[in-house]
């Protein structure tokens, strides 16, 4: 068995042109820019048109990532799409993206881990590259959450936005790439954030549609506490596992769930504000797409460069969570 380090060798991201501002939401539900800003940090989010769907944004991000990685798309052996909002229940959005980008030598699949999906994908692919099963893979986080949001529920509709981010993973030199990564879940909290309809339990009937069972339901304030604790604990564990201390971390790129969650995680870890990336004001919460979009923005703006030590951490429905330490 080989022991090949795996790292991110190219990234890309994409999102719809459409923007939904807090002022727009004030006209739809009983809310205010002031409430949304102080409780979440969000000022606007991207919103797909009715004729736009998840795989389109995933494919755009993936094409950009492959181009920046400088490899041929036919060298990709696995396309993992992390999504909670697939184009359809079958086939997987990963297989649809595989066809759209021409990754003819790959297997396509989806990972369902809500907002932690990108870290689930990274963790799985890292071990496949490390053991020599595959050389290059795409891990994509892609979501059109605004089609699963109930625009009469002010507790959820102000939070979620659309977009996609993608990373090409491949072999990197020793001491670089993914140094430590771990994923967790606790299904006992399943009903804290879920979409009850559409599956084999309730099916899709006139009744489920009338009840709005196909929309996301969230107990936001209960999730808040578990999210902070889970992200902070797994982050601290992964930093130690990677052989570093929190002070060695150059940049933290957390899942963009809520600015208050990000601030609380950073304060629990003892990381100063300037080392914690946030784009939640412009993007809202894009679930599995939030980390790869934010990470690509950091790379493009030079906040993360060759040699940077980066901590990623996520939390989402399931509940699921994860932490990853990467040396770029
Ligand atoms: N505008 C105005 N008022 C709102 C509102 C909105 N958009 N949404 C909720 N409220 C009201 C509630 O009805 C409640 O009113 P009440 O006190 O009269 O009953 C009050 O604000 C407080 O609601 P609460 O849900 O306790 O607010 P909060 O401070 O917890 O903020 C979230 C709500 C959703 C922003 C926050 O809980 C959160 O971000 N949670 C974590 C989400 C998360 O991590 N999800 C998983 C990962 S994606």
């Amino acid at each position: 068995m080989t022991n090949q380090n795996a790292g991110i060798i190219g990234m890309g991201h994409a999102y719809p042109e459409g923007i939904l501002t807090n002022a727009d939401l004030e006209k739809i539900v009983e809310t205010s820019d002031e409430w949304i800003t102080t409780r979440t940090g969000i000022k606007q989010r991207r919103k797909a048109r009715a004729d736009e769907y998840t795989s389109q944004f995933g494919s755009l991000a993936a094409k950009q990532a492959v181009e920046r990685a400088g490899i041929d798309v036919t060298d990709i052996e696995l396309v993992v799409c992390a999504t909670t909002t697939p184009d359809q229940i079958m086939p997987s959005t990963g297989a649809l993206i595989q066809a759209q980008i021409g990754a003819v030598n790959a297997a396509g699949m989806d990972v369902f881990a809500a907002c932690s999906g990108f870290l689930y994908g990274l963790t799985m692919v890292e071990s496949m590259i490390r053991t020599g099963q595959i050389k290059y893979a795409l891990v994509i986080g892609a979501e059109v959450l605004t089609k699963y949001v109930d625009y009469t529920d002010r507790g959820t509709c102000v939070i979620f936005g659309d977009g996609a981010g993608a990373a090409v993973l491949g072999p990197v030199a020793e001491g670089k790439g993914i140094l430590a990564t771990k994923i967790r879940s606790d299904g006992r909290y399943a009903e804290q954030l879920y979409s009850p309809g559409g599956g084999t339990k309730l099916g899709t009937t006139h009744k489920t549609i009338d009840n709005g069972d196909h929309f996301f339901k969230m107990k936001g304030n209960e999730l808040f506490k578990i999210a902070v604790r889970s992200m902070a604990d797994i982050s601290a564990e992964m930093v130690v596992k990677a052989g570093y201390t929190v002070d060695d971390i150059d940049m933290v790129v957390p899942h963009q769930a809520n600015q208050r969650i990000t601030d609380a995680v950073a304060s629990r870890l003892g990381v100063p504000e300037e080392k914690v990336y946030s784009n939640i004001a412009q993007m809202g919460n894009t679930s599995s797409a939030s980390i790869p979009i934010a990470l690509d923005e950091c790379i493009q703006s030079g906040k993360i460069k060759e040699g940077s030590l980066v901590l990623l951490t996520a939390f989402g429905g399931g509940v699921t969570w994860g932490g990853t330490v990467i040396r770029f």
Side-chain angles (χ1 to χ4, degrees):
M1 192 192 283
T2 54
N3 197 13
Q4 171 63 62
N5 273 33
I8 292 176
I9 60 168
M11 289 207 71
H13 72 272
Y15 41 69
E17 280 177 15
I19 291 175
L20 187 68
T21 65
N22 291 352
D24 296 329
L25 283 164
E26 283 176 351
K27 293 178 203 136
I28 302 171
V29 280
E30 202 186 322
T31 190
S32 65
D33 173 48
E34 199 267 333
W35 192 96
I36 302 171
T37 306
T38 52
R39 297 290 181 118
T40 71
I42 301 168
K43 298 298 275 182
Q44 62 168 52
R45 62 293 289 141
R46 296 285 169 158
K47 189 173 188 297
R49 295 189 310 260
D51 63 345
E52 290 178 316
Y53 43 90
T54 303
S55 65
Q56 294 175 322
F57 300 109
S59 289
L60 284 172
K63 278 185 190 161
Q64 197 174 47
V66 171
E67 200 181 301
R68 289 182 180 153
I71 62 165
D72 197 279
V73 72
T74 57
D75 292 333
I76 301 283
E77 289 167 275
L78 183 64
V79 177
V80 178
C81 180
T83 187
T84 316
T85 53
D87 285 10
Q88 54 212 48
I89 201 71
M90 187 174 66
S92 70
T93 305
L96 297 170
I97 292 174
Q98 172 194 11
Q100 288 170 25
I101 65 173
V104 291
N105 295 316
M109 60 176 286
D110 285 4
V111 165
F112 267 93
C115 308
S116 310
F118 184 73
L119 297 193
Y120 269 60
L122 279 192
T123 303
M124 209 176 68
V125 163
E126 186 271 337
S127 60
M128 291 179 80
I129 295 174
R130 182 160 45 75
T131 53
Q133 268 200 70
I134 57 168
K135 191 168 179 191
Y136 295 114
L138 263 167
V139 180
I140 303 156
E143 305 281 6
V144 174
L145 294 151
T146 57
K147 292 196 185 182
Y148 278 87
V149 157
D150 178 357
Y151 281 95
T152 65
D153 173 11
R154 65 180 181 172
T156 54
C157 75
V158 303
I159 309 276
F160 296 108
D162 304 333
V168 174
L169 269 81
V172 293
E174 215 181 310
K176 288 196 153 198
I178 297 174
L179 305 179
T181 189
K182 186 171 181 176
I183 47 177
R184 290 287 312 276
S185 72
D186 190 339
R188 288 173 301 176
Y189 296 105
E191 291 188 7
Q192 304 259 358
L193 174 54
Y194 75 135
S195 168
T200 55
K201 190 173 172 187
L202 295 185
T204 305
T205 63
H206 287 293
K207 193 172 162 218
T208 64
I209 302 284
D210 291 345
N211 282 347
D213 290 331
H214 50 295
F215 291 131
F216 289 160
K217 324 274 176 206
M218 181 167 82
K219 293 177 188 141
N221 50 7
E222 291 175 38
L223 276 174
F224 198 103
K225 283 171 251 162
I226 320 173
V228 172
R229 197 178 56 233
S230 308
M231 287 202 279
D233 288 355
I234 207 161
S235 295
E237 188 188 335
M238 287 306 100
V239 171
V240 171
K241 194 176 171 204
Y244 292 100
T245 68
V246 167
D247 290 345
D248 297 319
I249 298 291
D250 296 306
M251 187 59 71
V252 181
V253 182
H255 165 51
Q256 310 285 309
N258 180 321
Q259 189 59 45
R260 283 159 55 220
I261 293 181
T262 295
D263 294 344
V265 170
S267 130
R268 234 173 133 120
L269 281 173
V271 182
E273 199 184 316
E274 63 274 13
K275 282 192 180 181
V276 184
Y277 189 69
S278 174
N279 65 6
I280 195 158
Q282 293 78 41
M283 294 299 298
N285 178 341
T286 57
S287 190
S288 66
S290 91
I291 290 181
I293 292 173
L295 196 54
D296 191 30
E297 286 180 355
C298 287
I299 295 169
Q300 297 313 314
S301 64
K303 284 190 170 65
I304 292 176
K305 36 190 179 294
E306 185 84 20
S308 296
L309 190 65
V310 177
L311 168 67
L312 313 177
T313 185
F315 179 86
V319 294
T320 56
W321 67 101
T324 304
V325 175
I326 309 180
R327 171 75 75 188
F328 275 80

